Amino acid sequence: MKECFKKSWNYFKIKMNNILYNQHFWIIIVIIFIVIFEYTKDIRIMIKMTGVPITPYFITFFLSDYVVASGVMKILILLGFVAVICNVSKMYQEKYYFIIRTGYKAGVFGDALFIGAVSVIYAAIIYLFSIICFLPNLEFQLGWGKIISTLAYTDASVQYASVFVINSRIIDIYNPVEATLLSFTLLVLGCWMLGMLVYVVNVISNNKALGIAIACILILISPIVIYYRIPALYWVSPMTWVSIGCLTPVLDSDYPSVFYAAGMFMLMLTVILIILNKHTARMEIKGDYHG
């Protein structure tokens, strides 16, 4: 076990070193930044008109729930992550030679570590973009600030933040640091689970399109669940859990809690890893590593 982890870790480090030169990754990141920058332009107009800076906590509302044309940012962020990791399971020459030397299991679990690391990096980049888009009109304080509060409690959001859902209950219940940390954590866990789901389906089925299709279905089911507001559906819609506005205590006790969301993400990751472990054991016996 220790030797397998060491080999997986070595493979993981190789993958992380290569990400800096991965054009596919950076193209997706640039596209996401352009989308975020475009979607926040009206808020920048509001900041310029009022002369009031914004606080660095807007990422919570990037992941806000879905109401008709609003809430699309979360969907685009999650789809962007699927685009980032969709090729992780691909068997290229360097990876094939590594597996021949160290074993299939080391490569697979190295990929799992890599997807987890990319999830953290991706969430951090999204948070960074939520700050960069408002520079230099930014202020650091422990409160939500006047701009976010105005968007939450008045109809200014109709004019200046029409593509977001600025839920005033989030502001009433959470302090901004707590909401930001929870949003960041749920985004990381949600992306990691989504990435691992794509990976395990692609590896077992040897069909890249199948894993991507299942991930996209999960993402696109989320706005449907939120639109119809049927509490029972929230409990089985994983991508809905990325939004703290879709969970207790922002919603009532009929809906999942933040602890349920985090716990279920961890449980799903554990199940996927168990499935991968059994699959890799069979593959190493067969010696068939093509994918």
Side-chain angles (χ1 to χ4, degrees), residues 22-291:
N22 188 326
Q23 292 183 352
H24 172 82
F25 175 80
W26 292 112
I27 288 171
I28 300 300
I29 294 301
V30 169
I31 291 172
I32 291 293
F33 176 74
I34 292 171
V35 169
I36 290 174
F37 193 80
E38 178 65 20
Y39 275 28
T40 54
K41 67 178 182 180
D42 288 339
I43 300 176
R44 290 194 300 276
I45 292 172
M46 179 183 179
I47 292 169
K48 186 176 180 180
M49 287 178 56
T50 61
V52 178
I54 192 170
T55 50
Y57 308 120
F58 205 76
I59 187 175
T60 296
F61 306 105
F62 279 2
L63 306 173
S64 57
D65 55 6
Y66 181 90
V67 179
V68 191
S70 304
V72 294
M73 180 62 74
K74 181 181 80 170
I75 297 169
L76 294 175
I77 287 171
L78 293 173
L79 289 174
F81 182 77
V82 172
V84 165
I85 53 84
C86 64
N87 288 323
V88 174
S89 63
K90 184 178 179 180
M91 191 67 76
Y92 51 89
Q93 189 176 42
E94 182 182 357
K95 181 176 179 178
Y96 183 74
Y97 288 151
F98 178 88
I99 287 173
I100 291 295
R101 294 194 308 269
T102 64
Y104 188 64
K105 184 176 291 188
V108 167
F109 284 95
D111 282 337
L113 288 172
F114 176 74
I115 293 171
V118 171
S119 301
V120 175
I121 292 169
Y122 186 78
I125 288 172
I126 297 300
Y127 177 65
L128 187 62
F129 286 170
S130 75
I131 294 175
I132 291 174
C133 284
F134 298 119
L135 290 175
N137 302 302
L138 199 72
E139 67 172 351
F140 291 87
Q141 59 169 276
L142 295 180
W144 284 100
K146 292 182 179 179
I147 293 293
I148 293 177
S149 297
T150 300
L151 291 172
Y153 292 112
T154 72
D155 60 2
S157 61
V158 176
Q159 182 175 356
Y160 297 109
S162 59
V163 297
F164 300 102
V165 180
I166 316 296
N167 192 334
S168 61
R169 280 188 57 80
I170 292 176
I171 295 176
D172 292 338
I173 292 170
Y174 292 108
N175 69 64
V177 175
E178 183 182 19
T180 300
L181 288 174
L182 286 175
S183 297
F184 181 84
T185 301
L186 290 175
L187 179 59
V188 170
L189 291 175
C191 285
W192 195 2
M193 189 283 295
L194 193 66
M196 288 302 299
L197 180 64
V198 172
Y199 183 81
V200 72
V201 171
N202 288 354
V203 165
I204 292 176
S205 69
N206 195 21
N207 185 339
K208 176 182 172 181
L210 183 59
I212 294 173
I214 291 173
C216 290
I217 289 170
L218 284 180
I219 293 169
L220 296 176
I221 282 175
S222 174
I224 297 172
V225 169
I226 295 167
Y227 181 77
Y228 285 104
R229 292 287 182 184
I230 300 174
L233 296 179
Y234 280 66
W235 294 84
V236 293
S237 175
M239 294 301 99
T240 304
W241 308 334
V242 173
S243 308
I244 61 172
C246 297
L247 302 170
T248 303
V250 176
L251 298 180
D252 61 43
S253 58
D254 291 336
Y255 296 85
S257 68
V258 172
F259 294 107
Y260 173 87
M264 285 300 295
F265 279 139
M266 295 301 295
L267 177 61
M268 294 167 80
L269 281 168
T270 301
V271 170
I272 290 171
L273 289 173
I274 291 171
I275 293 171
L276 277 174
N277 186 56
K278 292 183 177 180
H279 172 73
T280 54
R282 288 196 301 268
M283 292 296 287
E284 288 189 333
I285 291 171
K286 290 168 62 179
D288 180 8
Y289 307 139
H290 294 280

